[in-house]
Amino acid sequence: MPPFNPQQHNSAITSKTVAIIGGGPAGLMAAEVIARAGFKVDLFDAMPSVGRKFLLAGVGGMNITHAEAFDDFVTRYAEAMPWLLPYLTAFNADTLRDWVQGLGVETFVGSSGRVFPTDMKAAPLLRAWLHRLRELGVTIHPRHRWQGWNAAGELIIENKNIIENKNIIENKNIIENKNTAPNDTLLLKPAATVLALGGASWARLGSDGQWVSLLREHPNFISQPNAIRDLTPSNCGFLTPWSALLKEQFSGAPLHTIELEIALPAGGHRRIRGEAIVSEYGLEGSAIYTLSALLRQQLENTRTAQLTIDLLPDQSHERIVQLLQKPRGKNSLSNFLRKQLNLSPVKMALLRELTDKNTMADMPKLARAIKYLPVKFYGMRPIDEAISCAGGVTAQALSPKLMLNALPGVFCAGEMLDWEAPTGGYLLTACFATGHAAGLGVADYLSTVNT
C-alpha cells in the first residue's frame, strides 16, 4: 500500500470554506484531507479542546490499529463490512501506521497484534497532528456547539465563549452579518459541511448523541425513518445478578485465559479466546466486548442473553475428568480443584455461583461445567458508559462518498455512522478511514460544483 498522500487530490486554491462539526479523529482527518486539497477549513467543537475521547482512549496505552491480515481485519465490522470495505481499503491499518509515522511518531506491534505508538501515549500524536493542521491553515473553534440549521439552510452554531464571557468575537471567514442572529450565535453558509459528531458514549467528552434529533427534525429527513438507527451501547458491560458474597469478594477480579461461546442467530456457535472482568453488576472486558453485538441482539429478541465460559480452554474435557477422578483424600474441594486443575479463586467462585451443590459434588458434571459454564444476562450498562455505540446514519442515507442524499453538500464520518467493531484498534481505524473518505468526498464535490 503506498503511503498516505492526500495531495494526490489537490485542486486550485479557492476561497470556498468548509465547516467541520466535531474534533475527534474523523473530523480532524477530514480537515486534513480537505485542507490539503486547497480549501479553507473551519472546525467547530463543543468542548474546550479537540480530541478528548481520543486522549482517553490512550490512557493505559494508545491502541491505534491492528496488524492482522486485511482479510481478517475487515471481518471485525460484521454486517457493516461490505459498506466500510472501500473506505478501509483506501485507508487501511498500514496506511494509518504510515500516516502516524509521518507525524514523527513510531509504532510497534504488540504480542496480541495490536499496534501502539512506541511511547504508548496519545497526547504527543495529537499535538503533532494539530501542529500540522495549523500549518495547513485549518482554524479550530473550541466551545462552539452546532445546533442544527435554520429555515434558510444555514448552520446554527452556539458560541459558548460569547455566552460565558459576554464578549462578541467575529469570525470573518464564513460568518454572515445578520441582525436576526443573537450575538452568541453564528449563522454559517459554508460551501460544504462534514458532520463528525461521534456516538453517545462518554458524553462528558463531547459525544452525547444530540445530533440524532437535529437530523431527524430536519424537513428533508421527516419522510426518511430509516436514515438513522437509534444509538445503542456497544463494547459495554452486561448485567447479571451476582450474589452479595461474589460482589464483595471478587468485584474487579480478572478472568484470565478463558474462552467464550455464544449461539449465532443463523445457527452454529462463535467461540473466542480472551479475558474478562467480574464487575459488581456482571461481566465486562475485551472478550465480552467482542461479543457485545450478539449479546445485545439476544436481549432485544428475548430480553435475556446467554453464553458459556470455558474456564480451562487448554485442557480437554476428558483430561479434566481424569484429573477429577483422582483420590481427594483430606483436601477440601477448593484445595483439590486448585491442586489438580490450577483453578484461580475467581474461577472457583464463578463455579459455585453458577452451579448447584449436586453439580459440585458430581465430578463428571463438574468437569462439564468447567468447560461449559452458562451465564445469563438481563441487560446492558447505560450507553454513556459504553466504549462505543451501534446505530447512527445508515448506508442507505449516504452516497458512496459519504454525502447525505437528503442534504447535498453535507457529509458524515466516524462513529456517527451505522457500524460497530470490537476494541483492539478497529474503532479508531474506521473513524480515520471514514474521515479520510468524507474529506475526499468534499474535495470532489467542491471541484465538481466549481466547474
Side-chain angles (χ1 to χ4, degrees), residues 241-304:
W242 299 135
S243 66
L245 180 64
L246 185 77
K247 288 191 285 188
E248 179 182 349
Q249 294 187 357
F250 294 100
S251 181
L255 284 166
H256 297 299
T257 317
I258 58 172
E259 289 187 1
L260 305 182
E261 185 170 290
I262 189 170
L264 296 173
H269 293 80
R270 183 178 180 191
R271 189 176 180 90
I272 65 162
R273 188 183 183 99
E275 297 185 350
I277 298 172
V278 176
S279 67
E280 184 177 1
Y281 57 75
L283 288 176
E284 59 183 29
S286 58
I288 295 294
Y289 300 157
T290 299
L291 300 177
S292 63
L294 291 169
L295 290 169
R296 184 181 65 247
Q297 187 174 358
Q298 287 188 19
L299 286 169
E300 291 170 351
N301 292 338
T302 65
R303 297 188 179 181
T304 62

Side-chain angles (χ1 to χ4, degrees), residues 2 64 73 80 139 144 173 203 225 232 275 319 357 365 371 382 449:
I64 197 77
F73 186 97
T139 304
H144 282 67
N173 293 316
T232 56
E275 297 185 350
R319 178 59 178 162
K357 291 183 179 180
K365 288 183 179 179
K371 297 295 289 183
V449 299

Side-chain angles (χ1 to χ4, degrees), residues 142-299:
R143 301 183 62 77
H144 282 67
R145 186 176 186 87
W146 177 60
Q147 299 286 11
W149 294 270
N150 64 12
E154 298 161 316
L155 297 174
I156 305 169
I157 298 182
E158 180 184 77
N159 186 339
K160 293 184 177 181
N161 296 300
I162 295 178
I163 292 172
E164 295 189 4
N165 300 326
K166 306 300 182 184
N167 187 14
I168 300 174
I169 302 172
E170 182 183 11
N171 177 347
K172 294 182 180 180
N173 293 316
I174 53 179
I175 298 173
E176 293 199 3
N177 295 321
K178 291 185 177 291
N179 296 326
T180 57
N183 289 335
D184 58 10
T185 301
L186 312 181
L187 299 180
L188 314 182
K189 271 193 171 180
T193 301
V194 177
L195 303 179
L197 290 150
S201 60
W202 292 88
R204 64 184 178 86
L205 300 177
S207 55
D208 55 19
Q210 292 188 19
W211 60 265
V212 173
S213 60
L214 293 177
L215 276 182
R216 283 178 169 166
E217 291 167 6
H218 192 284
N220 293 21
F221 280 90
I222 292 175
S223 62
Q224 298 187 22
N226 297 322
I228 303 170
R229 284 179 57 201
D230 290 341
L231 299 177
T232 56
S234 181
N235 291 301
C236 63
F238 287 80
L239 314 180
T240 195
W242 299 135
S243 66
L245 180 64
L246 185 77
K247 288 191 285 188
E248 179 182 349
Q249 294 187 357
F250 294 100
S251 181
L255 284 166
H256 297 299
T257 317
I258 58 172
E259 289 187 1
L260 305 182
E261 185 170 290
I262 189 170
L264 296 173
H269 293 80
R270 183 178 180 191
R271 189 176 180 90
I272 65 162
R273 188 183 183 99
E275 297 185 350
I277 298 172
V278 176
S279 67
E280 184 177 1
Y281 57 75
L283 288 176
E284 59 183 29
S286 58
I288 295 294
Y289 300 157
T290 299
L291 300 177
S292 63
L294 291 169
L295 290 169
R296 184 181 65 247
Q297 187 174 358
Q298 287 188 19
L299 286 169

